[in-house]
Amino acid sequence: MNREELQSAITALNADITFEEGGEYLTANIPADACRDIMQALHNLPAFEMDYMFCLTCVDWKTHLTMVYHLESRKHAHAVVIKSKLDRENPEIETLSDIWRTAEFLEREVYDLFGVRFIHHSDLRRLLLTDDWEGYPLRKDYEDPINMIKL
Amino acid sequence: MDVKDNQQHAFPGDVHPTASGGILVSKLDDVINWARSNSLWPLVFGTSCCAIEMMSTASAKYDWSRFGFEVARATPRQADVIIIAGTIVNKMAPVLKRLYDQMADPKYVIAMGACATSGGPFFYNTYSVVKGADHVIPVDVYVAGCPPRPEALLHALITLQAKIKAGDKREKIVIEKFVDSN
């Protein structure tokens, strides 16, 4: 599918989806509570068949967090970016690790560095930092007076 | 290569000519330092993009084996010099210290690039980077650059050779520091 076809097909999945203009990929903003259903559809429906998640990350906007998923179909060669806003104080979203296996480690990384809790994740532990680490270093308000020299 | 460099690479000592040739008078320390400086085996150790430049320095175009560095060792037990090629993060610091401790004396350290000398681009606003590898192990030669060009690394290696030939062993420096501080 080309960009326009993809956009209309995704809109048909859920009425609350909005799209961003510009950017290399088609970018859809979806509500966090509908994230799992939409992702499942993108993965399973033959029209999409997004079988490859090539990036999963998070952005701290100070007012809120945004989860960012990059999906691609190897069969149809189309790609889409899915974004989902999260509450900064209590960031929670359903895991996608059972849909795309690669999300298991990527979600652990996001949990490690941003503190997003992935519901029903099979093994949500810190990935890079030590288990007793306090705080989430990639958050904008992270403070570490010993190791960090503020500019 | 100018005269000074020629002298630097020459075998240390004075030749006293005799009828049948000559007698070389030298100091054993000088000969040992000459031998050491011309076969420095680096440890295979690279933590980021500086390692790519280090590999380039090792390969055919720059070819550090011209100066006696060709035998890169994958074990610290057989290495003489560790080139810290890249960022040292807090998690890597104990590993670096351990590798250094496992190397046999005499051992030398080159801090390659901005990260290894000072933390470089990660000096400010980073929670994970060691601000200079000399917080972890003592460094003999620092190389500027991000990453340094292979020529810069070659210059650092030659500088290290000159340092070894000059005879200042780290043991001596450490002892002098110890004496001064007491």
Side-chain angles (χ1 to χ4, degrees), chain A:
Chain A
M1 278 191 275
N2 64 30
R3 200 170 170 136
E4 286 72 32
E5 289 167 343
L6 204 55
Q7 178 165 348
S8 56
I10 292 173
T11 312
L13 291 174
N14 189 311
D16 295 329
I17 299 177
T18 57
F19 290 88
E20 288 177 19
E21 295 301 319
E24 186 184 349
Y25 299 105
L26 176 68
T27 305
N29 289 302
I30 65 169
D33 50 1
C35 176
R36 199 182 152 80
D37 291 340
I38 293 167
M39 294 302 222
Q40 196 98 54
L42 289 174
H43 181 265
N44 292 344
L45 293 180
F48 298 113
E49 211 172 316
M50 303 277 189
D51 54 354
Y52 178 36
M53 171 182 277
F54 64 97
C55 186
L56 183 159
T57 188
C58 186
V59 184
D60 184 3
W61 292 101
K62 292 187 179 175
T63 51
H64 61 275
L65 298 174
T66 302
M67 284 300 301
V68 184
Y69 305 95
H70 286 65
L71 306 176
E72 191 175 13
S73 168
R74 286 181 301 162
K75 187 179 175 193
H76 303 299
H78 55 211
V80 66
V81 177
I82 307 289
K83 292 184 182 176
S84 195
K85 227 184 207 187
L86 298 181
D87 176 24
R88 205 168 177 285
E89 303 311 314
N90 186 28
E92 275 187 338
I93 194 162
E94 281 279 340
T95 182
L96 303 175
S97 58
D98 54 329
I99 305 175
W100 294 276
R101 193 69 206 278
T102 185
E104 186 179 334
F105 267 44
L106 294 171
E107 286 179 347
R108 274 181 67 184
E109 187 188 4
V110 169
Y111 167 72
D112 196 358
L113 301 173
F114 289 94
V116 177
R117 281 188 304 287
F118 293 92
I119 303 160
H120 300 128
H121 190 285
S122 59
D123 184 25
L124 199 61
R125 292 178 292 128
R126 284 192 184 273
L127 179 65
L128 302 164
L129 303 174
T130 50
D131 289 335
D132 57 351
W133 194 282
E134 281 179 22
Y136 305 105
L138 286 195
R139 291 227 188 165
K140 295 290 181 192
D141 57 356
Y142 181 75
E143 295 282 350
D144 184 347
I146 296 167
N147 292 308
M148 267 170 97
I149 299 168
K150 291 288 234 183
L151 186 66

Side-chain angles (χ1 to χ4, degrees), chain A residues 113 128 137 147-151, chain B residues 90-91 123-127 131:
Chain A
L113 301 173
L128 302 164
N147 292 308
M148 267 170 97
I149 299 168
K150 291 288 234 183
L151 186 66
Chain B
N90 291 336
K91 231 178 162 180
F123 188 82
Y124 292 112
N125 300 333
T126 344
Y127 64 97
K131 275 84 184 169

Side-chain angles (χ1 to χ4, degrees), chain B residues 2-3 56 74 79 100 135 156:
Chain B
D2 61 19
V3 180
S56 176
Y100 178 75
H135 288 292

